[in-house]
Amino acid sequence: MPAPLPLVNRIIAAHGGGSSVAAGDFVTVDVDRVYIQDGNSPTIARLFREHGIRRVWDPERIGFFFDHSVIIPEKQIADRTREAMAFAERLGARIFHRGAGISHVIAMEEGWYEPGNVVLGADSHTCTGGAVQSLALGMGASDIVAAMVTGKTWLRVPETVWLEVEGTAHEATRAKDVMLHLLGTMGQAPFLNKSIEWTGSWSHALSADAAATVASMGVELGAKCVFLPGGPGRPAQMRAIEPGESRLRFDIGGLTPRIARPHNPANTVGLDELAGEPVDYVFVGSCTNSRLEDIAEAAAVFVNRPVHPRVHCIVTPGSRKVYLEALRLGYVETLTRAGVLVTPAGCGACVGTQGSIPADGERVVTTMNRNFQGRMGNREAEIFLASPLVAANIAVHGRFPAVEELVLP
């Protein structure tokens, strides 16, 4: 029986003229969507000026997202944002204004990611599209400019590894915990520059929001792209994933919540190992954990439980749609009554280009995908990563709780 043809091979072949492709081949492909975020728009605009480019291949298929600096903190960023807006308007591209939300979250909501299509984004977490089997790739400015102008890009077909996740984890363990545990135990070496196809009972059972969390952190694993199997709330046309020879098995039986310590997402330990240590600041948000399911889990913890007096706690929805739905369902009121600061939709505190920036020595627990030194705007802060469920519990306790202390929805 022939080995299954990897999804990435099939997608690249379909967008490159229909001929079969193999790992290592260089192929020019048509792209379906291209998007840019405010942080790198000025660089892309400069390349347009330097090369005398005035037009793009299809303005309707190109989007500009203003998500990294929604509440602008300083003049320099304000000037760059204005420049990016003017550039987008000149091109006639679609513009998603400040407060609309995070590019990757909106791209999913708008249907920009579709099973089998090719999407390029000027941000590394474009791989989020793999949640619905889109070949979604983060690229640098020059590659993005070329795609904006020609509607094409070149790709080297990556090798594929199939990751089979099995077992039943602890009831408080979420997709974020599994990703942190995977980073902490396997690291990037098995996945570097490869395509990951997720299989196994755990992967199939993921909700749509949890699948997006897994796909988002594909870049933290060092992968070129990722593909999740079909599951609840995902498009019917997603293809079945059949494991090939390059199969890795990952057992999560009994896995308890994980925490990534500073300053590396792979520097992970079990929650109990940190129990009792104080925390100053909690942030629930980012393209990895800002969807409705994440907000709902955090809100459930805060029902009749206030934020600890020592803790500064922020929740930032990933999109205006998420914000409005959370408002309708009462989550925003619950969070606000508990003492949480609920901000406009966007990247929020993740990259340190708007508040709240932590103080020197502060210990921050966040649901972001990365905790590199200086990530939130201050190299002297300590950043830990956790799931929204664990982060909310930490905000209530003012410290890392033991697993047995966790309030579950």
Side-chain angles (χ1 to χ4, degrees):
M1 186 173 180
L5 191 63
L7 283 175
V8 69
N9 294 48
R10 286 185 264 176
I11 295 171
I12 291 175
H15 284 71
S19 59
S20 62
V21 299
D25 289 350
F26 290 89
V27 184
T28 298
V29 301
D30 296 325
V31 302
D32 296 288
R33 301 277 184 179
V34 181
Y35 64 82
I36 303 99
Q37 45 95 340
D38 49 356
N40 48 37
S41 292
T43 301
I44 291 169
R46 177 177 56 77
L47 290 172
F48 267 70
R49 288 195 303 271
E50 289 178 354
H51 295 281
I53 303 169
R54 292 179 174 81
R55 298 179 183 176
V56 294
W57 122 88
D58 186 346
E60 281 297 310
R61 292 181 174 270
I62 296 172
F64 280 73
F65 293 85
F66 291 81
D67 54 3
H68 279 57
S69 299
V70 175
I71 302 175
I72 296 177
E74 54 154 10
K75 176 184 178 300
Q76 183 179 6
I77 294 178
D79 288 343
R80 285 171 60 86
T81 300
R82 183 174 63 179
E83 177 187 353
M85 180 70 73
F87 175 52
E89 289 173 346
R90 285 196 301 272
L91 294 179
R94 292 190 62 184
I95 298 173
F96 296 85
H97 296 274
R98 285 182 280 164
I102 304 171
S103 59
H104 319 301
V105 177
I106 298 175
M108 191 74 75
E109 293 175 350
E110 292 279 318
W112 282 32
Y113 299 134
E114 296 178 354
N117 75 352
V118 176
V119 178
L120 308 185
D123 186 282
S124 61
H125 290 101
T126 304
C127 55
T128 302
V132 294
Q133 295 182 1
S134 170
L135 177 53
L137 304 166
M139 291 189 173
S142 57
D143 285 312
I144 290 295
V145 168
M148 290 171 70
V149 174
T150 66
K152 299 179 182 294
T153 192
W154 66 271
L155 301 173
R156 182 179 185 273
V157 182
E159 296 178 7
T160 292
V161 59
W162 286 267
L163 181 62
E164 185 176 0
V165 183
E166 297 289 353
T168 301
H170 186 277
E171 61 179 335
T173 299
R174 300 295 184 261
K176 180 63 161 286
D177 300 300
V178 172
M179 292 303 295
L180 293 177
H181 188 51
L182 182 60
L183 273 163
T185 54
M186 288 191 176
Q188 293 185 334
F191 312 108
L192 195 60
N193 292 322
K194 294 180 181 179
S195 172
I196 305 174
E197 296 193 23
W198 290 74
T199 69
S201 57
W202 180 83
S203 303
H204 281 279
L206 289 170
S207 68
D209 285 355
T213 294
V214 171
S216 172
M217 292 193 70
V219 67
E220 273 67 51
L221 289 171
K224 181 73 173 178
C225 54
V226 298
F227 299 101
L228 275 292
R234 278 168 275 173
Q237 64 267 39
M238 289 175 64
R239 300 178 184 182
I241 291 178
E242 303 173 48
E245 292 182 2
S246 300
R247 183 190 307 188
L248 297 174
R249 288 183 171 86
F250 190 58
D251 185 6
I252 60 169
L255 180 68
T256 57
R258 302 284 106 177
I259 301 290
R261 297 174 295 186
H263 298 283
N264 189 331
N267 184 17
T268 60
V269 295
L271 177 60
D272 281 343
E273 293 188 42
L274 296 172
E277 295 191 20
V279 171
D280 305 293
Y281 177 176
V282 171
F283 168 53
V284 176
S286 86
C287 58
T288 299
N289 281 120
S290 62
R291 294 168 179 83
L292 190 63
E293 183 175 282
D294 305 314
I295 306 299
E297 286 222 315
V301 174
F302 287 112
V303 173
N304 298 321
R305 298 179 188 90
V307 174
H308 191 280
R310 186 179 58 245
V311 174
H312 175 54
C313 184
I314 293 178
V315 170
T316 301
S319 72
R320 183 179 288 123
K321 180 179 178 180
V322 171
Y323 192 111
L324 290 173
E325 188 64 5
L327 192 65
R328 184 184 71 81
L329 294 170
Y331 302 152
V332 172
E333 180 177 354
T334 297
L335 294 166
T336 303
R337 289 187 181 278
V340 176
L341 297 179
V342 182
T343 76
C347 296
C350 181
V351 290
T353 55
Q354 64 179 45
S356 290
I357 294 173
D360 288 356
E362 280 199 326
R363 180 171 286 178
V364 184
V365 173
T366 166
T367 64
M368 299 173 341
N369 34 59
R370 295 172 181 166
N371 60 339
F372 303 145
Q373 190 170 19
R375 174 71 181 179
M376 297 178 72
N378 186 349
R379 292 179 58 82
E380 304 306 317
E382 295 185 335
I383 303 173
F384 297 74
L385 303 180
S387 73
L389 174 64
V390 170
N393 271 274
I394 290 169
V396 168
H397 285 88
R399 56 175 172 79
F400 289 98
V403 172
E404 63 181 13
E405 295 181 277
L406 291 174
V407 175
L408 302 180

